[in-house]
Amino acid sequence: MKVRKLEVYGDSTLIIYQVKGEWQTKDLKLIPYQKYLLELIKKFEEISFTHLSWDKNQFTDALATLAVMAQIEEGQTTQELQIKARSEPAYCFMIEEETDGKPWYHDIQVYIKTREFPPGASRNERRMIRRLAFGYFPSGEILYKRSSNGELLRCVDAKEAKRILFETHEGNCATHANGHMMAKQILR
């Protein structure tokens, strides 16, 4: 790609300071990687390494996740990635508003209780509702889905989902945990 200047940001204090030569690499498994990295550094006119704490490194984590997911063959030209800053956190845009005033799971819940499909449902829609209903069960007015590990997940509408996310991120629970721990907190 003929990149001559590079800024490297990382959240591992150990790795950043080892690469900068300020700390020694003692782990025998890491020494070959460090030698290889030092050879790569010689190919750049200018290169800098900067440590970022985890809370300032979320963007980098997202890009690393994207890089792992993308399969790009050597020599293949990649598309430019455009990133837009949002006025609200991205999770707020993942909650779809109910245009008809009914929660997303309404048709499933009605089918489970009455074995009736929504008026005007096509053959494919009926088959999909029947298939989806298999993994859900009602308890009073609350609908649950059994997860693969046996946990019961309560179905919530858009308003309640926003409340849960707000409490987890900014409200009563205000967490700075990673995504996995945050998901466990929401499940509790």
Side-chain angles (χ1 to χ4, degrees), residues 36-173:
Y36 178 70
L37 186 56
L38 293 173
E39 288 301 313
L40 284 176
I41 289 172
K42 293 175 186 174
K43 296 183 179 189
F44 295 95
E45 290 173 8
E46 190 177 315
I47 188 166
S48 65
F49 295 89
T50 306
H51 174 260
L52 291 176
S53 58
W54 180 86
D55 61 325
K56 293 184 175 76
N57 199 30
Q58 294 173 3
F59 184 71
T60 306
D61 284 343
L63 286 176
T65 301
L66 185 61
V68 170
M69 292 170 47
Q71 294 181 0
I72 302 170
E73 294 177 24
E74 189 175 334
Q76 182 182 357
T77 316
T78 58
Q79 293 181 328
E80 182 179 321
L81 178 65
Q82 293 185 1
I83 300 168
K84 291 182 181 178
R86 300 257 186 200
S87 58
E88 295 182 62
Y91 62 81
C92 293
F93 293 101
M94 295 303 295
I95 301 171
E96 295 179 14
E97 294 295 329
E98 287 105 13
T99 54
D100 60 359
K102 298 174 185 171
W104 63 269
Y105 54 86
H106 175 76
D107 294 339
I108 298 168
Q109 193 170 32
V110 169
Y111 176 77
I112 291 170
K113 288 182 176 180
T114 65
R115 295 288 186 228
E116 294 177 4
F117 296 102
S122 69
R123 186 172 169 223
N124 283 342
E125 290 168 334
R126 290 172 180 235
R127 187 175 46 219
M128 181 61 73
I129 291 170
R130 207 174 17 255
R131 191 178 305 144
L132 285 172
F134 183 72
Y136 293 83
F137 72 93
S139 176
E141 290 300 312
I142 300 172
L143 187 65
Y144 291 93
K145 177 170 178 45
R146 187 176 302 280
S147 69
S148 58
N149 66 359
E151 280 185 301
L152 298 178
L153 306 173
R154 185 167 57 100
C155 299
V156 297
D157 61 13
K159 184 178 178 181
E160 191 170 4
K162 283 184 179 181
R163 181 190 59 76
I164 291 168
L165 286 170
F166 174 79
E167 283 185 10
T168 305
H169 281 279
E170 301 161 16
N172 302 335
C173 305

